[in-house]
Amino acid sequence: MTINAKQLEFILDNTPASQNIMLMGKHGIGKSRILEDYFSKKGQKVVILFLGQMADPSDLIGLPEKNEEIGKTDFMLPYWFPTDGKPIVLFLDELNRARPEVLQTIMDLTLNRKLAGKSLPDGSRIISAVNNGNEYQLTDLDPALVSRFNIYEFAPSVEDWINWAKTSGIDERVISFISENPEYLDSFENGEAENLERTPDRRSWERVSEITRNFSEITFELKPLVSGIIGSEATSVFFEYAKNEKELSVKQVLTSDFAFIEPELREMDISRITQLNNSVFKYLESFSENCSEVDVKKISENLNKYFDLLPLLSKEYMMHFISLCSAQVYPKTLVFITECCGSLYKKILDSINN
């Protein structure tokens, strides 16, 4: 079963610290960030170890030394090992990228909470993350090691990311773009892509935001820079959106005073109206579950006015809007229209019948 961020929080709330958790998922979806944020709010320290970067077990358990008191070999505590007796959250990232000899060291740690004979403080928990997919160079995990984890496939939703982005200083233009084009948030499949061909992910959009928020306008000069972060295809769509955003956005259409934006709508050509129709459905598909009652009322009013305007401009515009009312493509938007915009739904049915 695939879980989102809200379900992950429920799992973390209700899983005893003695039980280990493994999260499977694509790269760049924010596994470590979500865990850090969650446990930091609870005042718990998170220690992240990138196992794929460890050359041998000593990177994990520390270097051997002679214990003068007992005359035997001991291990120096690694830099991360807690010495204050307070429990930690040990996040083993890239578990299935680790060398086999490093994985052997993990066995005792995951079963007995011990590392080279030294125990983690009571209450410490262990969480691991692995990438899954044929596109990764991975190490096969021992079934005995896998059995020591509760395993969940983690795929945070677009709404999860948008809610996080709004409170994390992400450029509003990036948030708006993803709201209307959610298919560009995560890496999309491309069987013919080369290994070094960039595709977007949540981590890369954060890097884009770090750059674009320093500019009042997203200009052509930024295009090569952004392309190296999210790839050429996503960059082209993002810059086209940014250019149109300066004219009129779907958010303005659905939430502003319609009387002020109607004159601009009347000046749009067929390509812009078509794009706006698509954006309306994408926007509602992402936000229909998170709207307040005030949002629902305003969006419903503007959606009705927008639909009424379309046939006055061209019947083609209206028919294109109606063609998007598909339960297969936009199921949440269709539910929103039928439940929250009853008068609009009746107009659509009447238009189809006529």
Side-chain angles (χ1 to χ4, degrees):
M1 177 179 177
T2 302
I3 61 171
N4 59 28
K6 186 175 181 180
Q7 292 168 320
L8 174 59
E9 288 192 6
F10 179 84
I11 289 169
L12 295 174
D13 284 338
N14 294 279
T15 301
S18 59
Q19 296 186 19
N20 306 319
I21 292 174
M22 179 186 291
L23 300 179
M24 299 189 304
K26 298 290 186 180
H27 65 279
I29 60 174
K31 296 185 289 293
S32 58
R33 180 183 294 279
I34 290 173
L35 289 171
E36 278 192 286
D37 290 346
Y38 172 85
F39 287 109
S40 294
K41 290 177 183 177
K42 295 182 175 294
Q44 294 180 266
K45 182 180 179 181
V46 179
V47 176
I48 302 177
L49 300 179
F50 296 96
L51 301 187
Q53 299 176 10
M54 295 184 174
D56 59 60
S58 64
D59 291 337
L60 180 63
I61 64 176
L63 295 173
E65 63 174 351
K66 182 179 179 181
N67 188 322
E68 298 294 344
E69 294 182 6
I70 61 176
K72 295 182 180 180
T73 300
D74 200 353
F75 286 88
M76 297 175 61
L77 288 174
Y79 73 93
W80 59 267
F81 200 92
T83 56
D84 55 6
K86 295 181 180 180
I88 64 169
V89 178
L90 188 58
F91 182 47
L92 306 176
D93 204 1
E94 302 178 340
L95 182 68
N96 59 341
R97 291 177 183 270
R99 294 171 178 266
E101 55 269 29
V102 173
L103 289 175
Q104 291 301 317
T105 307
I106 298 295
M107 298 288 279
D108 193 30
L109 182 63
T110 54
L111 182 62
N112 300 313
R113 295 294 194 275
K114 288 185 176 181
L115 194 64
K118 299 178 178 65
S119 299
L120 291 175
D122 290 341
S124 295
R125 66 166 68 230
I126 297 175
I127 301 175
S128 71
V130 299
N131 296 132
N132 56 329
N134 295 328
E135 65 270 34
Y136 300 108
Q137 295 180 351
L138 306 174
T139 303
D140 290 334
L141 296 179
D142 190 310
L145 176 61
V146 173
S147 70
R148 297 173 187 182
F149 288 90
N150 303 342
I151 302 176
Y152 304 97
E153 184 170 357
F154 182 50
S157 66
V158 175
E159 290 84 355
D160 290 335
W161 185 86
I162 291 172
N163 291 335
W164 167 83
K166 287 179 176 179
T167 61
S168 302
I170 300 298
D171 189 336
E172 181 63 35
R173 292 166 296 188
V174 171
I175 297 175
S176 296
F177 173 75
I178 296 301
S179 298
E180 297 185 32
N181 302 273
E183 67 273 21
Y184 284 99
L185 176 58
D186 296 306
S187 299
F188 40 82
E189 298 294 334
N190 186 349
E192 299 178 358
E194 298 293 334
N195 287 341
L196 293 180
E197 184 174 336
R198 291 293 294 129
T199 56
D201 57 46
R202 299 167 192 234
R203 187 184 299 145
S204 62
W205 281 114
E206 187 175 354
R207 296 204 298 268
V208 169
S209 171
E210 290 176 1
I211 294 169
T212 59
R213 66 188 176 199
N214 296 319
F215 295 85
S216 58
E217 291 189 14
I218 298 176
T219 59
F220 180 78
E221 287 74 18
L222 288 171
K223 197 168 185 179
L225 195 161
V226 173
S227 180
I229 303 174
I230 57 174
S232 56
E233 179 180 338
T235 298
S236 296
V237 179
F238 177 55
F239 273 73
E240 183 66 24
Y241 172 85
K243 183 180 73 173
N244 292 328
E245 180 77 0
K246 290 188 292 186
E247 300 171 4
L248 189 64
S249 71
V250 65
K251 189 174 182 179
Q252 290 174 293
V253 171
L254 295 176
T255 61
S256 302
D257 186 334
F258 199 81
F260 286 109
I261 62 175
E262 183 175 339
E264 190 170 346
L265 287 170
R266 288 181 176 274
E267 296 297 322
M268 289 184 179
D269 59 20
I270 185 170
S271 63
R272 183 69 183 104
I273 289 290
T274 300
Q275 182 182 11
L276 195 55
N277 282 347
N278 286 317
S279 296
V280 165
F281 278 78
K282 290 179 180 179
Y283 182 92
L284 293 176
E285 190 71 14
S286 296
F287 281 94
S288 57
E289 293 182 349
N290 299 317
C291 292
S292 67
E293 291 185 11
V294 176
D295 292 333
V296 168
K297 183 178 179 181
K298 185 61 180 176
I299 290 175
S300 178
E301 291 176 355
N302 279 23
L303 201 54
N304 269 285
K305 292 176 182 178
Y306 176 71
F307 183 80
D308 291 341
L309 177 63
L310 292 179
L312 300 180
L313 303 178
S314 170
K315 286 188 177 181
E316 288 183 47
Y317 299 167
M318 180 187 71
M319 294 312 298
H320 176 258
F321 184 98
I322 292 174
S323 71
L324 296 173
C325 296
S326 167
Q328 291 184 329
V329 182
Y330 299 110
K332 295 179 182 178
T333 301
L334 190 57
V335 170
F336 180 85
I337 291 175
T338 55
E339 294 184 354
C340 304
C341 309
S343 58
L344 173 60
Y345 186 60
K346 185 177 184 304
K347 292 174 189 175
I348 292 173
L349 292 179
D350 291 341
S351 299
I352 293 174
N353 291 332
N354 291 332

